[in-house]
Amino acid sequence: MKRNRIGALVLGGALLAALLLCSACQKEEPLTLEEEVQSLVDMNAGARETTGKLAVLKEESTLKSRYSYTTGEDGAFLRWMEIPGGMRMNKNDLVLVLDQGRALARVYLPYGGIPGTYGLLPAKALDFREEAVRKSNQVWARETPAYDKREGTQVETLTGAVQILGRNGNWCQVRCLSGGDDRLYWARAENLTVQFPTTVPDQAAQ
């Protein structure tokens, strides 16, 4: 009787080991870089509203696999379209992260007009920390007084995305990122925010 119990235990242990080995054999291999690109970007997909998360670049990088979308006369989504070539991005540039794989993240640039630009960046280059995002190169102005110089005369009121060109104490030298206004202004840092809209059209499986 004792031998039967020992034999059953040995057999059970052998079966468990075989199952664990089989499970290890069936473990999925990590996606190659090309496969990950295909899993993150589908130019035949439909569109849906998605809420992303803001991040900044920890280092210079290149936005690859860029794309945008076309709209009809009523402004409704029509289709995704590729944008040739890559786009060089600087440290502290702001992005909205929509999806992330092992090595790559699909991002949207929440400034520069609508429809905007999407693409892929190395996941390791992104910094999601709030204190890092607050120091981004791109900020949002909401009826922000703009001056000709620090402590100067107000010459404009800004609303929309602006690029920070330089910082001096509590002042930022800025340029508008849309609307065709290329003039340089000075604005107080406390009147600028990183509270960009974070819900945007995103790719959805057909």
Side-chain angles (χ1 to χ4, degrees):
M1 194 74 176
K2 189 174 181 180
R3 287 182 180 177
N4 289 340
R5 286 204 195 104
I6 294 174
L9 288 172
V10 171
L11 180 59
L15 287 172
L16 179 60
L19 287 172
L20 290 174
L21 182 61
C22 182
S23 175
C25 292
Q26 293 177 352
K27 188 177 180 181
E28 292 185 4
E29 291 293 326
L31 295 177
T32 65
L33 203 57
E34 183 177 351
E35 290 171 338
E36 192 165 321
V37 170
Q38 293 173 353
S39 73
L40 289 170
V41 178
D42 180 4
M43 300 307 292
N44 296 316
R48 65 177 179 183
E49 292 290 303
T50 296
T51 299
K53 187 172 182 180
L54 293 173
V56 292
L57 287 173
K58 293 187 286 187
E59 59 196 21
E60 288 188 358
S61 190
T62 300
L63 183 68
K64 297 182 178 179
S65 301
R66 293 191 301 151
Y67 63 95
S68 187
Y69 62 90
T70 59
T71 60
E73 293 182 359
D74 60 354
F77 170 88
L78 286 180
R79 65 181 179 85
W80 300 104
M81 64 176 189
E82 295 181 4
I83 301 176
M87 175 182 172
R88 196 68 184 166
M89 299 191 67
N90 297 315
K91 180 180 178 181
N92 292 329
D93 276 353
L94 187 74
V95 297
L96 181 65
V97 180
L98 303 174
D99 197 6
Q100 189 169 331
R102 181 178 58 87
L104 299 170
R106 185 172 79 248
V107 305
Y108 172 76
L109 306 186
Y111 43 82
I114 298 176
T117 300
Y118 301 74
L120 299 180
L121 285 170
K124 67 180 181 179
L126 299 173
D127 190 341
F128 292 90
R129 293 175 305 136
E130 186 177 340
E131 59 267 30
V133 172
R134 284 200 301 264
K135 298 176 182 178
S136 65
N137 296 331
Q138 295 81 22
V139 293
W140 191 262
R142 286 190 174 89
E143 298 186 357
T144 298
Y147 301 83
D148 56 352
K149 59 184 178 180
R150 288 181 295 124
E151 307 292 354
T153 302
Q154 181 177 345
V155 293
E156 189 62 85
T157 300
L158 304 179
T159 294
V162 298
Q163 177 87 17
I164 293 182
L165 304 175
R167 301 176 189 264
N168 191 317
N170 193 40
W171 289 86
C172 298
Q173 188 178 42
V174 301
R175 174 175 56 82
C176 295
L177 286 171
S178 60
D181 186 354
D182 292 328
R183 291 175 293 173
L184 303 184
Y185 301 101
W186 286 91
R188 293 185 181 276
E190 65 263 27
N191 294 328
L192 302 169
T193 176
V194 291
Q195 293 178 352
F196 281 83
T198 55
T199 299
V200 298
D202 188 20
Q203 292 188 346
Q206 295 277 33

